[in-house]
Amino acid sequence: IFFRPQMNLKVLFAIVVLYLVGYHLTHAATADGACAEEGTCADRPKWCPEPWPLNQCLESSGKLAPGPQVPYQEDLIKWETGLSGHTHYKVDASKTAIFVIDPQLVYAACPKEVAVDTLMAGPSTKDFDGHSPLCCEKFYDAVANINKIAAAARAKGIPVFVIGHVYRDTTGDGKPDNCGRLCDFDVAGWSGWPMAYNLWNEAFPWSQLVYKSDSEPQGFAVDYDRDFYAEKSVYSAMTAPVVDKLNSLGIDTLVVTGFMTQFCVTTTARHAHDLGYRVIIPTDTIDGPILQELVSGIDENAAIGLYLGTAVGDTTSTEELVGRLQ
């Protein structure tokens, strides 16, 4: 356990309960006997959690793909007068993939009252409710739009890649081995929070992906048999295993959705752009932590949507993109 020494047994018990809830979110509405079908559970790598079929998992990686990967072919994005709108990339279903980046509890778990003091109230505070300081207030709205795009994409045979940001202990020493420089940061320790990397630590509930189930009807509607799953330990989802799969499928266009807007979404979009992929970002399918907006007064979605749209990708809406996929 990586929480601070002053944590009492009551708080630890609350964390365990929350972990079990998170575990249920991930495993609810799944087929029984997945281990029996593909070997024992002990044979499964941690980065391919049940009920994902082993052949749909693309490993956990922090190795970034080198570029370029896609030869350049002109596909002009032309902005209108006053930056009021722009043209869009053509969508070829046979060459397009959907990225669903980090739909995890660390971004979904919000306090009942969203304010700086409630967000910063750490696990050792009285009546801690299991929230995350990285609560994204539009998480479920964004996931609802992601579900619309994913459903339209699957109907066209477009592959969906589900990405999880998870730090794992692979050596058994009780500490994740793959968090890199993020392990340096004690951002909120002054308010009783653990080291920042623990928000994505497999040992704690916040790392769990929020899938649609009876107990989580607004979660991401995953298709375990058709979607691909990969874990990353870096900000970009363009890791070597993921890009290898994209290349094997002949993909040259990526629809980037998920969390957080100003971190993994932006990094993935820029990395994919640099590798030569056409990048499409539906700006109503992304969100960042409300804490930064409360502190800075900057709406990350409005600002970054404009930044990415002017030189990185085709920024659009769910409605417009789904219309192109019909």
Side-chain angles (χ1 to χ4, degrees):
I1 297 296
F2 298 99
F3 290 121
R4 301 190 177 279
Q6 67 267 30
M7 177 168 288
N8 57 38
L9 292 177
K10 179 180 177 182
V11 174
L12 286 178
F13 177 76
I15 292 300
V16 171
V17 171
L18 185 59
Y19 179 82
L20 293 176
V21 172
Y23 182 91
H24 175 70
L25 292 180
T26 306
H27 292 76
T30 63
D32 293 331
C35 288
E37 294 176 2
E38 300 192 30
T40 66
C41 289
D43 294 333
R44 295 178 65 90
K46 286 186 173 183
W47 44 258
C48 191
E50 291 184 81
W52 285 101
L54 290 174
N55 62 354
Q56 297 301 108
C57 293
L58 306 176
E59 303 181 24
S60 174
S61 181
K63 181 180 180 181
L64 297 175
Q69 295 286 335
V70 178
Y72 176 74
Q73 291 183 326
E74 184 178 273
D75 191 355
L76 187 64
I77 299 289
K78 185 175 182 179
W79 280 81
E80 298 172 1
T81 302
L83 299 181
S84 58
H86 57 76
T87 60
H88 299 289
Y89 281 140
K90 304 176 183 68
V91 176
D92 180 343
S94 69
K95 297 182 179 182
T96 300
I98 312 297
F99 271 21
V100 183
I101 299 175
D102 305 347
Q104 292 169 256
L105 197 61
V106 62
Y107 309 123
C110 295
K112 291 181 180 179
E113 181 182 350
V114 176
V116 173
D117 59 342
T118 57
L119 288 163
M120 294 309 302
S124 60
T125 57
K126 183 180 179 181
D127 299 323
F128 177 66
D129 59 4
H131 72 270
S132 164
L134 297 182
C135 147
C136 297
E137 80 282 10
K138 298 175 185 175
F139 179 89
Y140 288 104
D141 291 339
V143 168
N145 287 326
I146 294 170
N147 281 335
K148 292 176 184 177
I149 291 173
R154 294 187 191 108
K156 290 291 186 180
I158 296 174
V160 175
F161 287 71
V162 183
I163 312 294
H165 195 115
V166 184
Y167 297 135
R168 297 193 180 276
D169 173 15
T170 61
T171 62
D173 64 357
K175 182 177 179 179
D177 312 301
N178 60 342
C179 57
R181 281 298 174 192
L182 195 62
C183 278
D184 293 346
F185 288 86
D186 187 10
V187 182
W190 53 271
S191 66
W193 280 97
M195 292 284 283
Y197 71 85
N198 283 298
L199 292 171
W200 300 273
N201 184 346
E202 64 173 333
F204 295 111
W206 300 292
S207 67
Q208 299 294 321
L209 278 78
V210 181
Y211 295 132
K212 184 175 182 178
S213 66
D214 291 340
S215 61
E216 191 62 51
Q218 295 181 308
F220 174 64
V222 64
D223 185 332
Y224 293 105
D225 294 324
R226 298 174 62 186
D227 296 350
F228 295 101
Y229 176 70
E231 290 185 359
K232 60 182 175 64
S233 57
V234 289
Y235 289 118
S236 175
M238 305 302 291
T239 61
V242 170
V243 171
D244 286 346
K245 176 57 71 172
L246 293 174
N247 288 342
S248 73
L249 297 173
I251 301 300
D252 68 9
T253 302
L254 299 178
V255 178
V256 176
T257 73
F259 311 91
M260 295 182 285
T261 297
Q262 61 271 62
F263 290 95
C264 295
V265 169
T266 296
T267 304
T268 298
R270 286 176 170 158
H271 189 186
H273 165 93
D274 288 345
L275 296 183
Y277 293 91
R278 296 177 180 86
V279 178
I280 301 173
I281 309 111
T283 55
D284 54 2
T285 66
I286 61 177
D287 196 25
I290 185 61
L291 179 62
Q292 291 194 4
E293 185 174 342
L294 291 174
V295 171
S296 69
I298 298 172
D299 181 347
E300 72 284 351
N301 294 325
I304 290 178
L306 179 61
Y307 299 156
L308 294 178
T310 52
V312 176
D314 169 7
T315 50
T316 187
S317 68
T318 294
E319 182 179 8
E320 192 281 330
L321 181 59
V322 168
R324 277 193 273 168
L325 295 175
Q326 298 300 320

